[in-house]
Amino acid sequence: MIRETLVTTAAAGEAAHIAPMGIHVLDTDSKSSEADSKSSGADYLIMPFRPSRTLDNVLASGCAVVNYSDDVRIFAGCLTGRLDWPLVPAERVAGWRLDGVLAHAELELSRVEDDPERPRLYFRVVHEANHAPFRGFNRAQFAVLEAAILVSRLHFLPWSKIERELDYLRIGLDKTAGPRELEAWSWLMEAIEAHQTGREEIE
């Protein structure tokens, strides 16, 4: 199973880095995941592409923090250069977590499988905490998350696919969005327009 999360990492003496990232939960109900979990002694698998500040920070520090949030502005913000989100120190690892999230898990690196494109980073959970109740996602939040994934892939997806998917996602957005979702969506649309006109590169 893959969960869409916000991963915070930091190398010693450097500012924390926040990255929207799909993480693999090594669920023992899955045969392949069970094999991964048993062989690595791990709970989570993260596979960042090279080059990646997340990868560099994890290899330097040996830890990461997974943040669970229903504020989709953070996902959109991190992809559009809006990186100033409140942080508080982690409790069991030398790192930071996002303030105001629903829950977080603190991870220690247990194993690395190197790869020239996407190394496999296996982690075990050393601390977890819930901070607020989860009241469910609405369709607009889903739309923003899917649009954020499209923005992260602008450099290799054909425009026809992006346009088609955005048209569909706008249906749910228009019906269910609140102020947070509308703000996040506007950031993503600005990024797409900038990419289309060549004003800015999307990382």
Side-chain angles (χ1 to χ4, degrees):
M1 178 173 63
I2 298 176
R3 293 176 181 163
E4 297 302 324
T5 69
L6 297 150
V7 177
T8 47
T9 57
E14 297 185 7
H17 178 64
I18 309 167
M21 192 166 292
I23 65 166
H24 298 250
V25 180
L26 300 181
D27 185 353
T28 55
D29 288 339
S30 164
K31 291 182 179 179
S32 60
S33 294
E34 183 176 10
D36 279 341
S37 182
K38 286 181 178 178
S39 66
S40 64
D43 303 300
Y44 291 115
L45 168 63
I46 299 178
M47 300 172 60
F49 285 97
R50 292 184 186 273
S52 165
R53 188 171 167 192
T54 294
L55 174 61
D56 293 342
N57 285 349
V58 167
L59 295 179
S61 67
C63 62
V65 178
V66 171
N67 301 269
Y68 299 99
S69 177
D70 61 356
D71 187 348
V72 292
R73 295 177 304 170
I74 307 176
F75 293 85
C78 288
L79 288 169
T80 58
R82 296 166 174 87
L83 304 174
D84 189 18
W85 302 97
L87 297 162
V88 295
E91 296 186 32
R92 294 278 302 277
V93 300
W96 300 82
R97 70 168 177 87
L98 284 161
D99 194 16
V101 295
L102 303 178
H104 84 281
E106 299 178 17
L107 314 179
E108 286 186 351
L109 185 65
S110 61
R111 180 185 174 190
V112 177
E113 290 182 2
D114 202 9
D115 183 85
E117 183 177 352
R118 296 189 72 181
R120 298 167 68 90
L121 308 178
Y122 292 90
F123 295 87
R124 64 184 185 89
V125 176
V126 296
H127 177 70
E128 290 182 293
N130 294 320
H131 307 290
F134 174 60
R135 304 189 187 281
F137 281 112
N138 64 24
R139 291 177 65 191
Q141 290 167 320
F142 163 79
V144 171
L145 290 177
E146 289 296 316
I149 293 170
L150 291 175
V151 166
S152 73
R153 299 173 179 176
L154 286 175
H155 61 289
F156 63 82
L157 286 180
W159 173 246
S160 59
K161 176 178 175 60
I162 293 170
E163 190 173 35
R164 184 170 62 252
E165 294 201 19
L166 289 176
D167 287 343
Y168 174 75
L169 293 172
R170 283 191 186 94
I171 298 171
L173 182 89
D174 291 343
K175 290 182 178 180
T176 65
R180 285 184 174 184
E181 292 76 33
L182 290 173
E183 185 174 29
W185 183 269
S186 72
W187 295 343
L188 296 171
M189 295 307 103
E190 288 172 7
I192 290 173
E193 181 182 0
H195 181 81
Q196 282 290 95
T197 57
R199 295 199 306 269
E200 162 181 335
E201 291 294 328
I202 304 299
E203 295 184 0

